[in-house]
Amino acid sequence: KNQVEQSPQSLIILEGKNCTLQCNYTVSPFSNLRWYKQDTGRGPVSLTIMTFSENTKSNGRYTATLDADTKQSSLHITASQLSDSASYICVVSAEGGSNYKLTFGKGTLLTVNP
Amino acid sequence: NAGVTQTPKFQVLKTGQSMTLQCAQDMNHNSMYWYRQDPGMGLRLIYYSASEGTTDKGEVPNGYNVSRLNKREFSLRLESAAPSQTSVYFCASSGTYQETQYFGPGTRLLVL
């Protein structure tokens, strides 16, 4: 069964500090991996989407890494800001023609305190 | 561009009542989706439409029906609401399912 596990479930850091969120998956055959940010009370917003051949992808202070061999991804946030407080969701897509094959993680809730 | 819009933003229903959640996108996307999000459960797919004229069941379709009215609009209907359907409902769209999905702001539904 395809699964996406995220850790930690929640994380509290101080403003200005860096942090790394983890995503492990067992989805096969792999197509791509996405990270979304979801602010409280809002819909998720895409941060990055990475294919098999991409090891690293950045979006401002957000850097995602992918190790397709170990089936692990991480999202690194640099110099955190209060506005980074949100839930971060890892989503993995499997190959399969036109059929829907997305598996969602349950998210990591990040709180950035002043 | 408004992106993905959803109506209503919030709704309270009594058990057994029916309602339709509306979703529209202005990005000319082929694929549209309905998810529900419950605490501790993450996002779960209810139904999706890979292209105009097609719909398919997702992970949790029981108690729901959908209509892909045209390329822009995808509605979700609850025929007889139950308290277990209390949730936040998100509509999303993408070019294809392999591409980034764009989510709407959500509809908060409370069934008493």
Side-chain angles (χ1 to χ4, degrees), chain B residues 62-73:
Chain B
N62 291 345
Y64 306 95
N65 284 302
V66 291
S67 295
R68 184 74 183 265
L69 304 170
N70 48 55
K71 192 170 186 179
R72 291 187 62 249
E73 297 171 292

Side-chain angles (χ1 to χ4, degrees), chain A residues 72-86:
Chain A
Q72 296 180 326
S73 175
S74 64
L75 180 69
H76 187 74
I77 304 174
T78 303
S80 61
Q81 301 176 358
L82 298 179
S83 59
D84 292 329
S85 293

Side-chain angles (χ1 to χ4, degrees), chain A residues 32-36 44-50 57 91 93 102, chain B residues 4 27 29 31 33 35 92-103:
Chain A
N32 63 60
L33 184 145
R34 310 141 190 226
W35 283 95
Y36 285 87
V45 174
S46 177
L47 293 175
T48 64
I49 181 168
M50 302 174 70
K57 202 158 194 178
V91 185
S93 174
L102 293 181
Chain B
V4 179
M27 294 173 282
H29 284 162
S31 301
Y33 316 83
Y35 294 92
S93 71
S94 64
T96 67
Y97 90 92
Q98 291 288 20
E99 297 172 36
T100 296
Q101 291 185 345
Y102 294 84
F103 286 80

Side-chain angles (χ1 to χ4, degrees), chain B residues 30-92:
Chain B
N30 290 314
S31 301
M32 297 186 73
Y33 316 83
W34 276 106
Y35 294 92
R36 59 178 289 174
Q37 188 174 40
D38 303 293
M41 296 294 293
L43 284 156
R44 292 184 291 171
L45 181 70
I46 304 171
Y47 271 93
Y48 70 103
S49 171
S51 61
E52 186 179 357
T54 69
T55 60
D56 287 284
K57 294 179 180 179
E59 181 184 355
V60 289
N62 291 345
Y64 306 95
N65 284 302
V66 291
S67 295
R68 184 74 183 265
L69 304 170
N70 48 55
K71 192 170 186 179
R72 291 187 62 249
E73 297 171 292
F74 189 37
S75 63
L76 179 72
R77 182 160 179 84
L78 287 70
E79 290 292 351
S80 179
S84 61
Q85 294 179 304
T86 293
S87 187
V88 181
Y89 291 86
F90 289 100
C91 178

Side-chain angles (χ1 to χ4, degrees), chain A residues 6 14 16-18 25 36-37 43 49-51 55-58 62-63 65 74 81 83 86 95 99 106 108 110:
Chain A
Q6 292 188 243
L14 291 175
K17 298 296 185 182
N18 303 336
Y25 62 92
Y36 285 87
K37 177 188 179 190
I49 181 168
M50 302 174 70
T51 60
N55 297 100
T56 303
K57 202 158 194 178
S58 292
Y62 300 99
T63 299
T65 64
S74 64
Q81 301 176 358
S83 59
E95 289 284 0
N99 292 327
K106 294 182 179 180
T108 292
L110 175 66

